[in-house]
Amino acid sequence: RAVAYDGYVYTVGSNNDPEADVQEQTRRSLDAIEKNLIEGGSGKDRMLSVQVFMADISQKALMDEVWVDWIGDDPHTWPQRACVGAPLAPNTLVEIVVKAAQK
C-alpha cells in the first residue's frame, strides 16, 4: 500500500468495513497511512500533499474532526490538502492519498 521512490513515499489508506461510519473509516485509513509512511522512511510530519476522496462530501466536517485529532489543530502545519466527493468502491466512505518526503 506504499511505494518509496526518489526521496518520496506515496501511500493510500481506505477501509471498506460496512459497519464503520465515516469517522471510524477515517481513523483506520489514517492509522494505515501512518504505518506505511514510517515503513517507507517518512512520517506524518513529512507529508507534502494529501487528497481525501469522500463518497458523501456532506460528511466532510465529521472526517475533519478525526483529521484534526490525528494531525493537530494548527492548519499552518498541515500538508497541502484537497477534499473531493467521488464514487468509491462498495462500502468505502473515505480514501486518502498521500505524498510525503522521506527523512
Side-chain angles (χ1 to χ4, degrees):
R1 307 268 319 180
V3 173
Y5 179 76
D6 199 26
Y8 298 100
V9 178
Y10 302 85
T11 188
V12 62
S14 65
N15 183 270
N16 66 352
D17 180 350
E19 302 298 318
D21 64 11
V22 70
Q23 289 189 316
E24 183 58 27
Q25 285 197 13
T26 301
R27 274 186 210 89
R28 292 177 187 179
S29 298
L30 292 172
D31 287 347
I33 286 167
E34 188 164 12
K35 179 180 180 266
N36 292 343
L37 289 173
I38 291 168
E39 288 176 358
S42 187
K44 66 182 180 182
D45 61 323
R46 308 278 297 169
M47 293 188 304
L48 303 171
S49 177
V50 176
Q51 298 171 323
V52 181
F53 299 94
M54 301 189 68
D56 180 357
I57 196 68
S58 72
Q59 294 188 327
K60 181 181 177 291
L62 294 170
M63 182 278 303
D64 276 339
E65 289 177 16
V66 177
W67 169 263
V68 170
D69 284 345
W70 184 74
I71 196 73
D73 61 2
D74 182 3
H76 295 99
T77 63
W78 294 2
Q80 173 276 325
R81 187 186 84 160
C83 298
V84 296
L88 299 174
N91 301 316
T92 302
L93 304 176
V94 63
E95 186 166 344
I96 305 169
V97 180
V98 172
K99 177 182 180 181
Q102 287 181 307
K103 294 182 179 179

